[in-house]
């Protein structure tokens, strides 16, 4: 049965989608069958894999409204072992549309039930906010991966997320765990980076990934070409970092 990992942080601009796309691709290159589920209305994970985010006949919007299962909404990509349930701007209204539905917090979990056996990993790229869509992701997931940028407000955002996780575990999904905290846009030369990293490790000594994702131009360029970093520039520091992260996650989840 595939491991479902929600890639989430309530704070935007922390490398969440970059991580979802590039980790999914790196896992695929390591012969893991991967499904990326884009539930962010911005649809950046979708365009980052070269898929159009305009007027999709199959999308996460249709899954969230219970109009089709994830299996029916899957779109193949040109990248090894990697498929996607795409997103587009219609997802922006999904939060309000599902508010009146029965079992509204479990729609995504139900939608993904039929595909779990088909993939080794299912990654969910969440919106940078806590709404019904994100709650659905946390309810459906086995664990969550939290990308954070080593900046002044990082700990505050992480504390808010941990409180959210506690509430989700109490109310909906008592099996939810933290897969790990990932430092992104990392620049070890900065004192602030080192200070924040030390504080996070102090609060979460066993949950911080050994791998850190450096701040690189190539990582920020890759999405505009519709390619993950390990296809866009496989020798770049960014590609090497996401390969290391994929290996770390595979090792952690060996059965």
């Amino acid at each position: 049965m595939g491991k479902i990992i929600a890639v989430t942080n309530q704070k935007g601009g922390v490398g969440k989608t970059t991580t979802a796309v590039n980790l999914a691709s790196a896992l695929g290159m390591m012969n893991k069958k991967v499904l990326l589920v884009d539930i962010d209305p911005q649809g950046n994970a979708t365009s980052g894999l070269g898929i159009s985010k305009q007027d999709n006949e199959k999308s996460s919007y249709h899954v969230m409204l219970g109009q089709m299962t994830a299996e029916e909404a899957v779109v193949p990509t040109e990248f090894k072992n990697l498929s996607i349930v795409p997103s587009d701007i219609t997802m922006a209204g999904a939060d309000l549309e599902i508010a009146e539905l029965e079992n509204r917090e479990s729609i995504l979990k139900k939608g993904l039930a039929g595909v779990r056996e088909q993939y080794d990993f299912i990654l969910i790229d969440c919106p940078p906010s806590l709404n019904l869509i994100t709650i659905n992701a946390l309810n459906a997931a086995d664990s969550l991966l939290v990308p954070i940028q080593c900046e002044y407000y990082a700990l505050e955002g992480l504390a808010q997320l941990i409180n959210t996780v506690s509430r989700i575990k109490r109310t909906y999904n008592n099996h939810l765990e933290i897969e790990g905290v990932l430092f992104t846009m990392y620049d070890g030369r900065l004192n602030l980076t080192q200070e924040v990293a030390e504080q996070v490790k102090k609060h979460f000594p066993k949950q911080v990934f050994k791998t850190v994702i450096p701040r690189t131009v190539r990582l920020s360029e890759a999405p505009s070409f519709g390619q993950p970093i390990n296809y866009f520039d496989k020798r770049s520091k960014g590609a090497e970092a996401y390969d290391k992260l994929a290996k770390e996650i595979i090792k952690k989840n060996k059965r």
Side-chain angles (χ1 to χ4, degrees):
M1 187 180 290
K3 176 84 175 275
I4 302 179
I5 303 174
V7 183
T8 185
N9 190 323
Q10 290 166 236
K11 189 178 185 306
V14 296
K16 176 183 59 62
T17 297
T18 298
T19 294
V21 168
N22 292 307
L23 173 59
S25 180
L27 288 167
M29 287 291 282
M30 293 171 188
N31 295 315
K32 300 298 179 183
K33 198 170 179 191
V34 184
L35 176 64
L36 177 57
V37 181
D38 187 358
I39 58 170
D40 189 336
Q42 296 177 79
N44 290 338
T46 298
S47 58
L49 291 179
I51 305 292
S52 171
K53 53 182 181 179
Q54 303 298 322
D55 303 319
N56 288 307
E57 293 180 2
K58 306 193 289 188
S59 73
S60 54
Y61 171 80
H62 299 101
V63 177
M64 288 306 307
L65 264 69
Q67 296 172 354
M68 60 176 64
T69 64
E71 188 173 19
E72 293 168 324
V74 168
V75 174
T77 76
E78 60 183 282
F79 310 110
K80 184 179 179 182
N81 293 319
L82 179 55
S83 298
I84 186 170
V85 174
S87 180
D88 55 35
I89 195 62
T90 56
M91 274 295 286
D95 194 57
L96 292 174
E97 291 183 63
I98 68 173
E100 302 302 320
L101 298 180
E102 191 176 349
N103 297 320
R104 59 186 184 176
E105 301 88 0
S106 304
I107 298 170
L108 185 59
K109 183 176 184 177
K110 183 179 177 183
L112 290 173
V115 295
R116 289 198 70 159
E117 298 292 341
Q118 300 173 32
Y119 297 92
D120 297 303
F121 291 96
I122 297 174
L123 304 185
I124 306 174
D125 184 34
C126 300
S129 59
L130 181 62
N131 55 20
L132 259 177
I133 303 299
T134 304
I135 288 172
N136 262 269
L138 298 181
N139 194 8
D142 300 306
S143 65
L144 53 94
L145 189 160
V146 188
I148 68 166
Q149 188 179 352
C150 289
E151 59 176 17
Y152 184 72
Y153 294 109
L155 280 172
E156 183 180 305
L158 192 55
Q160 290 172 351
L161 184 63
I162 298 308
N163 288 336
T164 298
V165 171
S166 297
R167 292 201 303 273
I168 296 292
K169 287 185 77 165
R170 283 196 308 269
T171 313
Y172 306 115
N173 181 4
N174 63 354
H175 300 296
L176 184 64
E177 301 293 342
I178 295 179
E179 188 74 21
V181 176
L182 176 69
F183 295 135
T184 60
M185 296 176 250
Y186 190 88
D187 186 346
R189 298 170 299 178
L190 302 178
N191 288 336
L192 180 60
T193 296
Q194 295 177 22
E195 288 169 13
V196 172
E198 284 173 14
Q199 285 296 314
V200 173
K201 287 176 181 176
K202 192 164 134 183
H203 285 83
F204 304 96
K206 296 180 180 178
Q207 293 166 311
V208 176
F209 286 109
K210 292 177 183 175
T211 305
V212 299
I213 308 300
R215 184 187 294 276
T216 75
V217 173
R218 299 302 271 172
L219 266 177
S220 55
E221 288 176 340
S224 62
F225 290 86
Q227 294 182 329
I229 189 64
N230 57 352
Y231 286 84
F232 180 64
D233 187 352
K234 64 181 181 181
R235 292 184 177 84
S236 67
K237 289 181 179 178
E240 290 174 1
Y242 278 109
D243 282 349
K244 286 180 183 175
L245 178 63
K247 287 174 183 173
E248 202 170 336
I249 287 177
I250 289 169
K251 183 178 179 182
K252 183 176 180 180
N253 289 284
K254 271 188 178 174
R255 295 173 176 82

